[in-house]
Amino acid sequence: MAEQGVTTGQLLLAEYQTVKDEQKSRIGFRDNLLYVTLAVVAAVIAAAAQAKQPAMLLALPPVTVVLGWTYLVNDEKISAIGRFVRDDLGPRPARLAHAEGAFAWETVHRGDVRRRSRKVIQCAVDLLAFCVVPLAGLTVYWAAGQTTAGLLFLSALEALTVIGLGAQVVLYSRPFS
C-alpha cells in the first residue's frame, strides 16, 4: 500500500480553514454580546424604575464593563486572525504556487472607501453600548440624591472603570488602519 503524504499546500489550507473557523466563531460571539448588553441594560433599568431604587443602576457599570471588555478582546482576536492571514499565512501558499497572492479577500475588503467611516461609527456604537449607557445610569443615580458615602465611592470607582474601558475601545478601534 502506497503512503500518501500531506503536502505543504494542504497543511496551509487546513491552517487557513482552522483560523477562519475560529474567526467566524468569535464574530458570532462578539456580535451577540451587543444583544446581551442591550437586554441586561433594559432589565436593570426596568428593575430600577419599577422598584424606584436608583441605586440598582450601580449594577450597570460592572456588567457593561465585563461584557464590553469581552467584546473588545474578541474583536481584537478577530482582527489578529485577519492580520495573520494577510501578513503570514497568505503569502506562503502564494510563494508555493508562484502566484501574486492568496486569500485576497483579507486585503481587498480593507480597501473599501467607506471602511474608515464604518470603523468610526462602530467605535461610537461600542462607546454608546458599553460606556455612555452606564455613565448615564451613574448620572441618574447621582442626581437622585439618595447616595451614601460607600455607594458614592463605589460609583466613582465604577465611573473610572467605565472611562478606562472607553479609552480602550477608542485605542482598539484603529479607525485609520
Side-chain angles (χ1 to χ4, degrees):
M1 186 168 152
E3 287 187 32
Q4 290 191 1
V6 177
T7 68
T8 303
Q10 289 169 322
L11 285 174
L12 291 172
L13 287 174
E15 183 176 12
Y16 174 75
Q17 189 60 54
T18 300
V19 296
K20 291 305 284 185
D21 286 346
E22 179 181 346
Q23 188 180 48
K24 183 170 71 171
S25 174
R26 284 182 178 277
I27 288 169
F29 181 73
R30 177 203 60 195
D31 292 352
N32 283 328
L33 284 170
L34 276 172
Y35 302 124
V36 169
T37 301
L38 289 173
V40 168
V41 164
V44 169
I45 291 172
Q50 186 175 13
K52 295 185 172 121
Q53 292 293 321
M56 291 175 75
L57 295 173
L58 295 179
L60 286 175
V63 170
T64 56
V65 166
V66 168
L67 291 170
W69 182 252
T70 305
Y71 177 93
L72 198 57
V73 167
N74 271 281
D75 191 61
E76 175 55 28
K77 295 299 180 210
I78 292 163
S79 296
I81 289 169
R83 278 191 306 277
F84 171 70
V85 171
R86 263 189 325 277
D87 301 340
D88 186 11
L89 185 58
R92 289 187 277 164
R95 281 192 301 270
L96 284 173
H98 304 292
E100 285 189 35
F103 315 130
W105 174 249
E106 299 294 336
T107 303
V108 169
H109 81 278
R110 295 173 60 82
D112 178 15
V113 296
R114 292 189 196 99
R115 181 172 187 274
R116 187 169 291 147
S117 64
R118 270 196 321 275
K119 287 185 72 91
V120 168
I121 292 167
Q122 185 63 54
C123 180
V125 168
D126 296 347
L127 287 170
L128 177 64
F130 300 116
C131 300
V132 172
V133 168
L135 288 174
L138 289 172
T139 302
V140 168
Y141 168 70
W142 294 326
Q146 300 172 5
T147 61
T148 64
L151 290 181
L152 190 57
F153 179 76
L154 175 66
S155 66
L157 286 177
E158 288 180 340
L160 290 173
T161 304
V162 171
I163 290 167
L165 175 64
Q168 292 300 306
V169 167
V170 172
L171 287 172
Y172 275 93
S173 72
R174 296 186 193 107
F176 304 109
S177 62

Coordinates of all heavy atoms in Angstrom, one line a residue, residues 79-116:
S79 N -9.5 40.6 14.6 CA -8.6 41.4 13.8 C -7.2 40.8 13.7 O -6.5 40.8 12.6 CB -8.4 42.8 14.4 OG -9.6 43.5 14.3
A80 N -6.7 40.2 14.8 CA -5.4 39.5 14.8 C -5.4 38.3 13.8 O -4.4 38.1 13.1 CB -5.1 39.0 16.2
I81 N -6.5 37.6 13.7 CA -6.6 36.5 12.7 C -6.5 37.0 11.3 O -5.8 36.5 10.5 CB -7.9 35.7 13.0 CG1 -7.8 34.9 14.3 CG2 -8.2 34.7 11.8 CD1 -9.1 34.2 14.7
G82 N -7.2 38.1 11.1 CA -7.2 38.8 9.7 C -5.7 39.2 9.4 O -5.3 38.9 8.3
R83 N -5.0 39.8 10.4 CA -3.6 40.2 10.1 C -2.8 39.0 9.9 O -1.9 39.0 9.0 CB -3.1 41.0 11.3 CG -3.5 42.4 11.4 CD -2.7 43.2 12.4 NE -2.8 42.6 13.8 CZ -3.8 42.8 14.6 NH1 -4.8 43.6 14.2 NH2 -3.8 42.3 15.8
F84 N -3.0 37.9 10.6 CA -2.2 36.7 10.5 C -2.4 36.1 9.1 O -1.4 35.8 8.4 CB -2.6 35.7 11.5 CG -2.0 34.3 11.3 CD1 -0.6 34.1 11.5 CD2 -2.7 33.3 10.9 CE1 0.0 32.9 11.3 CE2 -2.2 32.0 10.7 CZ -0.8 31.8 10.9
V85 N -3.6 36.1 8.6 CA -3.9 35.5 7.3 C -3.3 36.4 6.2 O -2.6 36.0 5.3 CB -5.4 35.3 7.0 CG1 -5.7 35.0 5.6 CG2 -5.9 34.3 7.9
R86 N -3.4 37.8 6.4 CA -2.9 38.7 5.4 C -1.4 38.7 5.3 O -0.8 38.7 4.3 CB -3.3 40.1 5.8 CG -4.5 40.7 5.1 CD -4.7 42.2 5.3 NE -4.4 42.7 6.6 CZ -5.1 42.6 7.7 NH1 -6.3 42.0 7.6 NH2 -4.8 43.1 8.9
D87 N -0.7 38.7 6.5 CA 0.7 39.0 6.6 C 1.6 37.8 6.7 O 2.7 37.8 6.3 CB 1.0 39.9 7.8 CG 0.3 41.2 7.7 OD1 -0.1 41.6 6.6 OD2 0.1 41.9 8.8
D88 N 1.0 36.7 7.2 CA 1.8 35.5 7.4 C 1.4 34.3 6.6 O 2.1 33.8 5.8 CB 1.8 35.1 8.9 CG 2.8 34.0 9.3 OD1 3.6 33.6 8.4 OD2 2.7 33.5 10.4
L89 N 0.1 33.9 6.8 CA -0.4 32.7 6.2 C -0.6 32.9 4.7 O -0.2 32.0 3.9 CB -1.7 32.3 6.9 CG -2.3 30.9 6.4 CD1 -1.3 29.8 6.6 CD2 -3.6 30.7 7.1
G90 N -1.2 34.0 4.3 CA -1.5 34.2 2.9 C -0.3 34.2 1.9 O -0.4 33.6 0.9
P91 N 0.8 34.8 2.3 CA 2.0 34.8 1.4 C 2.6 33.4 1.2 O 3.2 33.1 0.1 CB 3.0 35.7 2.1 CG 2.1 36.6 2.9 CD 1.0 35.8 3.4
R92 N 2.4 32.5 2.1 CA 3.1 31.2 2.0 C 2.5 30.3 0.8 O 3.3 29.9 0.0 CB 3.0 30.4 3.3 CG 4.0 31.1 4.4 CD 4.0 30.2 5.6 NE 2.9 30.6 6.5 CZ 2.5 29.8 7.5 NH1 3.2 28.7 7.8 NH2 1.5 30.2 8.3
P93 N 1.2 30.2 0.7 CA 0.7 29.4 -0.5 C 1.0 30.1 -1.8 O 1.2 29.5 -2.8 CB -0.8 29.2 -0.2 CG -1.1 30.1 0.9 CD 0.1 30.5 1.6
A94 N 1.0 31.5 -1.7 CA 1.3 32.2 -2.9 C 2.7 31.9 -3.4 O 2.9 31.8 -4.6 CB 1.1 33.7 -2.6
R95 N 3.6 31.8 -2.5 CA 5.0 31.5 -2.9 C 5.1 30.1 -3.4 O 5.8 29.9 -4.4 CB 6.0 31.6 -1.7 CG 6.4 33.1 -1.3 CD 7.5 33.1 -0.4 NE 7.2 32.5 0.9 CZ 6.7 33.1 2.0 NH1 6.4 34.4 1.9 NH2 6.4 32.5 3.1
L96 N 4.4 29.2 -2.8 CA 4.4 27.8 -3.3 C 3.8 27.7 -4.7 O 4.3 26.9 -5.5 CB 3.6 26.9 -2.3 CG 4.2 26.5 -1.0 CD1 3.2 25.7 -0.2 CD2 5.5 25.6 -1.3
A97 N 2.8 28.5 -4.9 CA 2.1 28.4 -6.2 C 2.7 29.3 -7.2 O 2.3 29.4 -8.4 CB 0.6 28.7 -6.1
H98 N 3.7 30.1 -6.8 CA 4.3 31.1 -7.7 C 3.3 32.0 -8.2 O 3.2 32.4 -9.4 CB 5.1 30.4 -8.8 CG 6.2 29.5 -8.4 ND1 7.3 29.9 -7.7 CD2 6.2 28.1 -8.5 CE1 8.0 28.8 -7.4 NE2 7.4 27.7 -7.8
A99 N 2.4 32.5 -7.3 CA 1.3 33.4 -7.6 C 1.5 34.7 -6.9 O 2.4 34.8 -6.0 CB 0.0 32.8 -7.2
E100 N 0.8 35.7 -7.3 CA 0.9 37.0 -6.7 C 0.4 37.1 -5.3 O 0.8 37.8 -4.4 CB 0.3 38.1 -7.5 CG 1.1 38.4 -8.8 CD 0.5 39.6 -9.5 OE1 0.0 40.5 -8.8 OE2 0.6 39.6 -10.7
G101 N -0.7 36.3 -5.0 CA -1.3 36.4 -3.7 C -2.2 35.2 -3.5 O -2.6 34.5 -4.4
A102 N -2.6 35.0 -2.2 CA -3.6 34.0 -1.9 C -4.5 34.7 -0.8 O -4.1 35.6 -0.1 CB -2.9 32.8 -1.3
F103 N -5.7 34.2 -0.7 CA -6.7 34.7 0.2 C -6.8 36.2 0.1 O -6.7 37.0 1.1 CB -6.3 34.3 1.7 CG -5.8 32.9 1.8 CD1 -4.6 32.6 2.5 CD2 -6.6 31.8 1.3 CE1 -4.2 31.2 2.6 CE2 -6.2 30.5 1.5 CZ -5.0 30.2 2.1
A104 N -7.0 36.7 -1.1 CA -7.0 38.1 -1.4 C -8.1 38.9 -0.6 O -8.0 40.1 -0.4 CB -7.2 38.4 -2.9
W105 N -9.2 38.2 -0.3 CA -10.3 38.9 0.4 C -9.8 39.6 1.7 O -10.3 40.7 2.0 CB -11.4 37.9 0.7 CG -12.5 38.6 1.5 CD1 -12.8 38.3 2.8 CD2 -13.4 39.6 1.2 NE1 -13.8 39.1 3.3 CE2 -14.2 39.9 2.3 CE3 -13.5 40.4 0.0 CZ2 -15.2 40.9 2.2 CZ3 -14.5 41.3 0.0 CH2 -15.3 41.6 1.1
E106 N -8.8 39.0 2.3 CA -8.3 39.6 3.6 C -7.7 41.0 3.4 O -7.7 41.8 4.3 CB -7.2 38.7 4.2 CG -7.7 37.3 4.5 CD -8.8 37.3 5.7 OE1 -8.8 38.2 6.5 OE2 -9.6 36.3 5.7
T107 N -7.3 41.2 2.1 CA -6.7 42.6 1.8 C -7.7 43.4 1.1 O -7.8 44.6 1.4 CB -5.4 42.4 1.0 OG1 -4.5 41.6 1.7 CG2 -4.8 43.7 0.7
V108 N -8.4 42.8 0.1 CA -9.3 43.6 -0.7 C -10.4 44.3 0.1 O -10.7 45.5 -0.2 CB -9.9 42.6 -1.8 CG1 -11.1 43.3 -2.5 CG2 -8.9 42.2 -2.8
H109 N -11.0 43.6 1.0 CA -12.1 44.3 1.7 C -11.7 45.5 2.6 O -12.5 46.3 2.9 CB -12.9 43.2 2.6 CG -12.2 42.9 3.9 ND1 -11.2 42.1 4.0 CD2 -12.4 43.5 5.1 CE1 -10.8 42.0 5.3 NE2 -11.6 42.9 6.0
R110 N -10.4 45.6 2.8 CA -9.9 46.7 3.6 C -9.8 47.9 2.8 O -9.6 49.0 3.3 CB -8.5 46.3 4.2 CG -8.7 45.2 5.3 CD -7.3 44.7 5.7 NE -6.5 45.8 6.4 CZ -6.6 46.2 7.6 NH1 -7.5 45.6 8.4 NH2 -5.9 47.1 8.1
G111 N -9.9 47.8 1.5 CA -9.7 49.0 0.6 C -11.0 49.7 0.3 O -11.1 50.7 -0.5
D112 N -12.1 49.3 0.9 CA -13.4 49.9 0.8 C -13.3 51.4 1.2 O -12.8 51.7 2.2 CB -14.5 49.2 1.6 CG -15.8 49.8 1.5 OD1 -16.1 50.6 0.6 OD2 -16.7 49.4 2.3
V113 N -13.9 52.3 0.3 CA -13.8 53.7 0.6 C -14.5 54.1 1.9 O -14.2 55.1 2.5 CB -14.3 54.6 -0.6 CG1 -13.3 54.4 -1.8 CG2 -15.7 54.3 -0.9
R114 N -15.5 53.3 2.3 CA -16.3 53.7 3.5 C -15.8 53.0 4.8 O -16.4 53.1 5.8 CB -17.8 53.3 3.3 CG -18.4 54.2 2.2 CD -19.9 54.0 2.2 NE -20.4 54.6 1.0 CZ -20.7 53.9 -0.1 NH1 -20.5 52.6 -0.2 NH2 -21.2 54.5 -1.2
R115 N -14.7 52.3 4.6 CA -14.2 51.5 5.8 C -13.9 52.4 7.0 O -14.3 52.0 8.1 CB -12.9 50.7 5.4 CG -12.4 49.9 6.5 CD -11.2 49.0 6.0 NE -10.8 48.1 7.0 CZ -9.9 48.4 7.9 NH1 -9.3 49.6 7.9 NH2 -9.6 47.5 8.9
R116 N -13.2 53.5 6.8 CA -12.9 54.4 7.9 C -14.1 54.9 8.6 O -14.2 54.9 9.8 CB -12.0 55.5 7.3 CG -11.4 56.4 8.5 CD -10.4 57.3 8.0 NE -9.2 56.5 7.6 CZ -8.4 56.9 6.7 NH1 -8.6 57.9 6.0 NH2 -7.3 56.1 6.4

